[in-house]
Amino acid sequence: MDYSSAAAYDTSLDLNTRPLRLFDDSPPIKKEVHSKILMDFGSQLSANEESGPLVEELHRVSAENKKLTEMLTVMGESYNALRSQLLEYMSKNPEKELSPISKKRKSESSNNNNNTSANNILNGINNGNSESSSSDGESCKKPREETIKAKVYRSYVRTEPSDTTSLVVKDGYQWRKYGQKVTRDNPCPRAYFKCSFAPSCPVKKKVQRSVEDQSILVATYEGEHNHTHPSQLEASPGSNRCMTLGTVPCSTSLGSSGPTITLDLTKSKSNTSDTKSPKPRTETPEVRKFLVEQMASSLTKDPNFTKALAAAISGRILQQNTY
DNA sequence: CGAGTTTGACCTGCGC
DNA sequence: GCGCAGGTCAAACTCG
């Protein structure tokens, strides 16, 4: 694959890390790397061949990328402001709901669309790629199981639009499907999975296509895994690989449906460490910086991620060429 | 043959 | 109490 040609395009994968602004004070690694690639590529180009139009295109795309980055930064700041307002509000009014959600069970399915007004805003900013809902709307679920206290979070995975039947979200864990149901507010069936990696693992997963965009799979996880991540036990390379990037769980999959990179940004810490407290992030700037560095080094060192990145970039290039 | 999936039946909670 | 809807069970089925 010709990686260098990819650099002339917008290679910034929308991994949704910036909008979430988990690491506010972190150095803009992606931007630096990106512009370095662009610079290297640009100098190579001008030195090796007089491809003026290409250089022009390079500059144009570079400027566009910069503009988009700025927009993302602004969005991220808005998100942060809203988020802090929300947290502030919630800490002041812990007993109040943000919106008059009825005690109806339907809140579970409806929180796809109309959870809370504040969450709606956050989701909008977040673009719905990956979003935390640990302050979930499922708390009014039936109290039959102790999972009522289990953490609920959700991840969004974009799939090939043509693939409207598969309800498989590859997150590295082993899941056993135990049921499927068509729910009222979504014509697409919802699939129920249990973690089959460890027999005693209480984690359940519900996967359903989004009503608005059926190419998006909404995976709702309930509970916490009581075992280590399978990829940590068997680090065998394969078409699917899961890894934990520092503290950000992430999975990449290179299936026939194209590369999918899922950053589980709903968990800012590792599975084992965040089982207790869903409290807001309190990392110091130093910690954040460390996390970012760790994440970046994990990314650059992992050959599979490089592969996935290359595949994603080529996919994007093809996509752009069709416009 | 075992593991995983499918699917209809059943259970449970909630609103009326 | 009844009906509705979400969640779960388990027998039948499929696949490697």
Side-chain angles (χ1 to χ4, degrees), chain A residues 28-221:
Chain A
I29 287 180
K30 194 170 76 178
K31 203 168 152 188
E32 272 176 16
V33 171
H34 183 221
S35 48
K36 188 175 186 308
I37 293 171
L38 289 178
M39 278 165 55
D40 290 350
F41 179 64
S43 60
Q44 258 187 349
L45 264 186
S46 54
N48 294 340
E49 53 193 21
E50 294 84 31
S51 44
L54 271 178
V55 175
E56 230 171 81
E57 174 73 2
L58 172 69
H59 288 141
R60 192 186 62 75
V61 173
S62 175
E64 196 175 327
N65 184 60
K66 196 179 167 192
K67 212 186 294 177
L68 286 171
T69 307
E70 280 166 8
M71 283 169 69
L72 272 175
T73 308
V74 172
M75 267 191 191
E77 277 161 7
S78 307
Y79 167 79
N80 262 354
L82 275 172
R83 186 189 154 76
S84 57
Q85 277 178 31
L86 173 66
L87 290 173
E88 200 177 330
Y89 180 87
M90 284 170 73
S91 63
K92 279 179 189 169
N93 308 283
E95 76 286 354
K96 277 191 196 172
E97 292 285 344
L98 282 162
S99 68
I101 298 177
S102 72
K103 282 177 188 164
K104 263 189 159 182
R105 193 179 21 203
K106 76 184 240 183
S107 64
E108 189 276 323
S109 56
S110 64
N111 66 10
N112 276 347
N113 313 318
N114 56 356
N115 193 352
T116 62
S117 54
N119 265 340
N120 267 344
I121 297 166
L122 296 183
N123 291 349
I125 290 172
N126 217 3
N127 210 16
N129 273 352
S130 178
E131 161 250 352
S132 167
S133 61
S134 49
S135 59
D136 66 282
E138 298 201 358
S139 53
C140 53
K141 240 185 62 179
K142 59 179 181 182
R144 191 154 62 121
E145 295 177 23
E146 69 276 11
T147 55
I148 189 170
K149 282 205 293 195
K151 283 179 66 167
V152 178
Y153 61 97
R154 183 170 300 143
S155 75
Y156 294 78
V157 178
R158 182 173 286 281
T159 63
E160 192 123 316
S162 57
D163 181 18
T164 54
T165 52
S166 163
L167 285 172
V168 176
V169 174
K170 287 168 181 167
D171 51 14
Y173 288 98
Q174 265 182 291
W175 298 98
R176 178 193 173 87
K177 188 177 181 180
Y178 65 90
Q180 180 165 320
K181 193 98 181 170
V182 176
T183 55
R184 209 183 44 162
D185 13 353
N186 193 336
C188 303
R190 173 185 297 169
Y192 299 90
F193 297 90
K194 280 177 183 167
C195 181
S196 63
F197 188 76
S200 59
C201 184
V203 179
K204 288 175 190 171
K205 176 170 86 166
K206 289 179 279 186
V207 180
Q208 191 172 29
R209 294 195 171 271
S210 167
V211 194
E212 293 90 3
D213 186 353
Q214 299 204 350
S215 66
I216 293 175
L217 283 174
V218 182
T220 307
Y221 297 85

Side-chain angles (χ1 to χ4, degrees), chain A residues 2 80 82 100 124 148 224 266 291 296:
Chain A
D2 187 6
N80 262 354
L82 275 172
I148 189 170
E224 317 255 350
T266 63
L291 293 178

